[in-house]
Amino acid sequence: MNILLWHVHGSWTTAFVQGPHTYLVPVTPGRDPDGLGRARTFSWPASVREVTPEELRDTHVDLVLLQRPHELELAERRLGGRRPGRDVPAVYLEHNAPDGDVPDTRHPCADRADLTVVHVTHFNRLFWDCGTTRTEVVEHGIVDPGHRYTGRLARAAVVVNEPVRRARYTGTDLLPTLAEAVPLDVFGMGTEGLAGRLGLPPDRCRTADLPQSELHPAMAERRMYLHPVRWTSLGLSLLEAMHLGLPVLALATTEAVEAVPPGAGTLSTRPDVLARAARRYLHEPEAAAADGARARQAALERYGLKRFLADWEHLITEVCS
């Protein structure tokens, strides 16, 4: 099949395009958000083809995978008037937890008989109000980076994009307290100057924005993974950390309570509990390694690539038939 999707979420797309289809990714001369084309920092197979807006008008498409509200109109325009969900089968992939008037947030595709909204977590489906629109859940899948954990650095890895702008959503305000228990290495976009903004000395909060090829080895060297997120969808970086073999310290919010089983780390709504667990890992590296091994096994069983692709294949076959 030819599946049209925009390059919106590089990590998620990396797993999705491992399937058996041809994946058409729009590209524009300026590689703007509606035409990023192929990823430059992720490894995508040759089955991912860049298509220009002009080429797309005459290209056969079996399925449109929508990820942003404006793509409904954008896809119809780029496909020469073919309407997603009516003239071409379509699903809307919702990456995020609802925002706004939770739990009454209406989904932009609510009450549509021509679409299926696919959520990446059961928590998200529970909280979004999709009205009469059919909804399904296909949980995340990860391209296994391998068990690379060493934990040789007595620091915690944190992966978050734009922690200053997203602030309380990502638990940025909790970092000073947690940094008293364990030095933090915060990876992601928009992390520059974070220590200064939080009033932390540089040795307690270091930052870097690394490509995935460098990020995974860097994470694996840290003793533990810290996930202080209050409100967001299930972060793929959390699942990647578990695949790598890191033990997890996370707020017991959103889908994290489903993703991190007992023995794989510590979940709590109390930052002081997470800080206490961090101190234990600092002083007991063997315990950190053992919990990390259990985290990896749990991630492989629930968020493995084979299950992810099989779930999507079942849904694609159903929608396109």
Side-chain angles (χ1 to χ4, degrees):
M1 291 186 181
N2 284 347
I3 299 177
L4 170 64
L5 74 159
W6 275 263
H7 177 184
V8 173
H9 193 307
S11 294
W12 182 90
T13 308
T14 297
F16 183 70
V17 298
Q18 305 303 316
H21 305 290
T22 297
Y23 304 91
L24 307 175
V25 178
V27 63
T28 55
R31 294 188 179 268
D32 57 65
D34 289 334
L36 284 176
R38 287 177 56 93
R40 297 179 177 180
T41 57
F42 296 89
S43 179
W44 287 2
S47 56
V48 182
R49 284 181 40 214
E50 292 186 341
V51 288
T52 66
E54 295 74 24
E55 292 171 333
L56 201 50
R57 294 180 64 88
D58 300 316
T59 298
H60 174 73
V61 173
D62 296 289
L63 176 72
V64 181
L65 192 149
L66 306 158
Q67 300 173 80
R68 298 167 295 176
H70 78 275
E71 288 180 8
L72 279 160
E73 183 276 330
L74 178 64
E76 181 177 345
R77 178 156 41 88
R78 295 280 172 86
L79 290 171
R82 288 173 285 172
R83 298 165 295 177
R86 299 182 183 183
D87 305 311
V88 183
V91 298
Y92 188 102
L93 174 63
E94 179 53 69
H95 288 282
N96 301 314
D99 203 352
D101 192 17
V102 178
D104 296 322
T105 312
R106 290 279 286 178
H107 196 275
C109 293
D111 297 328
R112 291 193 62 138
D114 57 338
L115 293 176
T116 296
V117 173
V118 183
H119 297 284
V120 297
T121 72
H122 292 275
F123 180 93
N124 291 358
R125 178 162 71 170
L126 179 67
F127 274 79
W128 274 110
D129 177 7
C130 290
T132 59
T133 303
R134 177 195 177 193
T135 62
E136 295 288 344
V137 176
V138 177
E139 293 189 312
H140 286 304
I142 299 291
V143 178
D144 183 14
H147 193 173
R148 305 168 73 173
Y149 178 74
T150 68
R152 69 176 187 85
L153 298 179
R155 305 180 68 87
V158 183
V159 180
V160 60
N161 288 326
E162 300 185 71
V164 174
R165 180 183 67 82
R166 298 167 70 194
R168 287 180 57 84
Y169 278 75
T170 54
T172 306
D173 59 302
L174 304 177
L175 295 182
T177 297
L178 293 166
E180 293 177 6
V182 56
L184 308 178
D185 288 330
V186 184
F187 301 101
M189 296 183 294
T191 57
E192 304 86 354
L194 180 63
R197 288 177 175 270
L198 296 178
L200 291 171
D203 65 313
R204 303 303 292 185
C205 181
R206 304 187 306 208
T207 62
D209 182 10
L210 303 177
Q212 191 184 51
S213 60
E214 298 177 26
L215 176 61
H216 285 167
M219 291 169 63
E221 289 185 318
R222 273 64 189 175
R223 185 70 51 82
M224 67 202 78
Y225 183 78
L226 176 63
H227 188 70
V229 177
R230 280 192 178 89
W231 186 263
T232 187
S233 189
L234 182 60
L236 282 172
S237 57
L238 170 65
L239 301 182
E240 290 168 353
M242 293 173 68
H243 273 77
L244 289 164
L246 278 83
V248 172
L249 307 175
L251 288 182
T253 57
T254 63
E255 191 77 0
V257 295
E258 290 283 337
V260 184
T266 298
L267 290 173
S268 178
T269 54
R270 295 173 50 181
D272 62 302
V273 171
L274 300 184
R276 187 160 58 247
R279 292 188 184 97
R280 174 173 174 255
Y281 285 150
L282 288 181
H283 294 104
E284 301 179 25
E286 297 83 2
D291 286 359
R294 284 187 285 269
R296 172 171 167 77
Q297 188 59 39
L300 288 172
E301 291 174 0
R302 183 161 183 170
Y303 300 104
L305 187 64
K306 183 177 179 180
R307 189 276 309 155
F308 171 78
L309 294 175
D311 287 353
W312 268 106
E313 195 62 21
H314 177 79
L315 180 61
I316 290 169
T317 300
E318 185 179 338
V319 169
C320 291
S321 63

